[in-house]
Amino acid sequence: MSDWQWHTWPGGVPESASHPYPYAQYPTPDGADWLASSSAFPRSVRALWSARPTAPSVLPCGTAFDAVNLPALFGRRVLEHLWSAGPGSGPAATLRGRLLLLAEPGTAARLPSLLTWEEWGPAVPPVLCHGAGDSVALPPPYSDTGHGRSRWLVAPDTRRPWLPGADVLLWACVRAARAEAG
């Protein structure tokens, strides 16, 4: 993996680290600004990160992003389908044995009904959607990989990252369910 694909913070990335997706492992300063912009008090969020750079963050959904929370194995399959069949994913992280995909605002309201309409039933495991009025815990923006419990798989790297909508995530879930069933 070339150096331009890694954005490291103090402490660096271990030499043995491998990354299956072509994006930064840590949020860039622009990506961290975008994450902070989801809060009504972005300066307070950045101050917290300055004081406790390795602490996970709890950020509100519904303005800058929604979050789709998937079981780890199924989530990895969805993420693989997003990257192999296109169009890629927005920021994605693992946290407490689950995979969080950040999606465009409004996705949390639409995706559950689209999955129900597709009638995939038990083939698609429970998908938790977090939208307006919800908050999610996200990995710390500036930590090393030693925590293991939470980390960025695809970190935000711009002030306006591309985020998948409900339609894109629906078909990624359907493709992952078909692959699992087949």
Side-chain angles (χ1 to χ4, degrees), residues 126-153:
V127 174
L128 305 174
C129 294
H130 309 284
D134 297 328
S135 294
V136 292
L138 293 172
Y142 312 120
S143 76
D144 60 23
T145 58
H147 296 291
R149 298 183 73 178
S150 67
R151 67 185 178 100
W152 289 100
L153 297 174

Side-chain angles (χ1 to χ4, degrees), residues 66 68 106-121 124-130 165-167 169-171 173-174:
D66 280 0
V68 178
T107 298
R110 291 188 57 223
L111 185 58
S113 61
L114 289 174
L115 286 168
T116 301
W117 180 73
E118 282 296 320
E119 297 180 1
W120 282 93
V124 175
V127 174
L128 305 174
C129 294
H130 309 284
D167 53 341
L169 291 171
L170 165 69
W171 293 113
C173 287
V174 168

Side-chain angles (χ1 to χ4, degrees), residues 8-95:
T8 62
W9 297 92
V13 175
E15 298 260 339
S16 62
S18 64
H19 201 270
Y21 311 107
Y23 279 94
Q25 184 179 11
Y26 301 103
T28 63
D30 283 345
D33 284 344
W34 172 74
L35 285 171
S37 77
S38 69
S39 171
F41 306 101
R43 282 190 274 168
S44 295
V45 172
R46 286 191 291 274
L48 175 65
W49 288 338
S50 292
R52 299 189 60 203
T54 61
S57 304
V58 177
L59 295 173
C61 298
T63 55
F65 59 83
D66 280 0
V68 178
N69 187 330
L70 303 160
L73 183 57
F74 185 73
R76 287 286 187 149
R77 288 184 181 132
V78 168
L79 195 58
E80 290 298 326
H81 282 282
L82 285 168
W83 281 99
S84 66
S89 72
T94 60
L95 185 69

